[in-house]
Amino acid sequence: MAIWLVLQAIWLFLPAMAPNSAALLVGGGTPIDFGRTMGKGNRRIFGDGKTWRGLIGGFLAGLTLGLILLGIAYLFGSETYWGFGNFPDSIIIITVLSFGALFGDLLGSFVKRRLGRERGENLFPLDQYDFVIGAFLFVLIFKPDWFLDHYIRGENIIALITILITIPVLHRLTNRMGYKMGKKEVPW
Ligand code: CTP
Ligand code: MG
């Protein structure tokens, strides 16, 4: 039973995990803050690591992956368990998971710049969890029952713990990959 909960937790969270990896692959070009700075220190709002291409590409990647997962769930006739609920609900959940993840990542960079940290500078646990917080926050706002049912209530808390434990590991792995591919300046 617990193993299924763990697998389901990761499966349902994939639309939130894809966007930042996709942004790493397709990102670049015009920064979201257009190079603008704010405050006394003249620090960037978000920095060069947050680009429009990454934002849009990442969002579409999360959405696409979510639709694929949904298709698989429908194919096996278990849209309620492996899916995200009924079709309209599913679309909302996938959309907010993907957008929430990117929003959280953006907010993380905003906080880092305010703290005077340069782009790419490691700041644990903000770098690792900013997108998780964003995704969960958005889904909590738009589909609270889905979030509580799958990640909080009863033994589903295992799902939340699974996510929190695996995320830093996955984060490390994807960033190292990005570094090897020349997409990232630092391997963390
Ligand atoms: N990326 C992007 N647009 C986004 C998010 C990410 O283009 N909205 C790309 C950038 O090339 C970025 C890379 O993905 O450098 C890795 O993202 P991340 O680790 O979040 O950015 P950092 O470069 O580490 O910058 P920060 O210090 O702001 O986190
Ligand atoms: Mg980073």
Side-chain angles (χ1 to χ4, degrees):
M1 191 66 201
I3 183 75
W4 288 110
L5 265 180
V6 167
L7 289 176
Q8 191 197 33
I10 295 169
W11 171 271
L12 292 177
F13 202 60
L14 286 174
M17 300 209 252
N20 290 301
S21 311
L24 179 64
L25 292 177
V26 304
T30 312
I32 295 172
D33 63 11
F34 296 107
R36 278 195 289 253
T37 58
M38 72 181 271
K40 275 197 216 116
N42 272 335
R43 288 172 185 140
R44 290 287 294 276
I45 299 176
F46 302 119
D48 283 332
K50 306 293 121 155
T51 67
W52 286 105
R53 225 159 68 200
L55 186 71
I56 295 162
F59 177 64
L60 292 178
L63 209 59
T64 306
L65 182 63
L67 290 175
I68 292 171
L69 301 183
L70 212 57
I72 295 172
Y74 274 92
L75 211 61
F76 289 97
S78 64
E79 61 269 28
T80 46
Y81 190 69
W82 285 101
F84 299 85
N86 64 38
F87 192 72
D89 279 354
S90 304
I91 298 300
I92 294 172
I93 293 165
I94 291 164
T95 304
V96 298
L97 281 177
S98 180
F99 190 77
L102 287 155
F103 181 85
D105 179 58
L106 203 55
L107 200 65
S109 291
F110 179 81
V111 172
K112 278 173 80 176
R113 299 301 91 83
R114 303 287 76 70
L115 295 173
R117 305 288 177 126
E118 295 298 326
R119 170 191 179 185
E121 216 179 300
N122 194 16
L123 187 58
F124 179 86
L126 193 66
D127 285 323
Q128 285 71 15
Y129 290 108
D130 51 11
F131 82 94
V132 182
I133 294 166
F136 279 153
L137 196 71
F138 266 62
V139 86
L140 187 64
I141 293 170
F142 289 95
K143 283 279 161 214
D145 276 332
W146 183 85
F147 174 71
L148 297 173
D149 282 346
H150 288 87
Y151 291 98
I152 304 289
R153 287 181 181 137
E155 62 180 350
N156 280 285
I157 195 78
I158 297 170
L160 183 70
I161 296 167
T162 303
I163 297 288
L164 296 181
I165 293 173
T166 45
I167 286 307
V169 180
L170 290 173
H171 189 264
R172 189 83 194 200
L173 286 175
T174 49
N175 279 352
R176 193 182 297 248
M177 240 164 59
Y179 174 70
K180 288 226 167 102
M181 290 168 65
K183 290 274 179 188
K184 219 173 138 54
E185 326 242 298
V186 286
W188 47 79

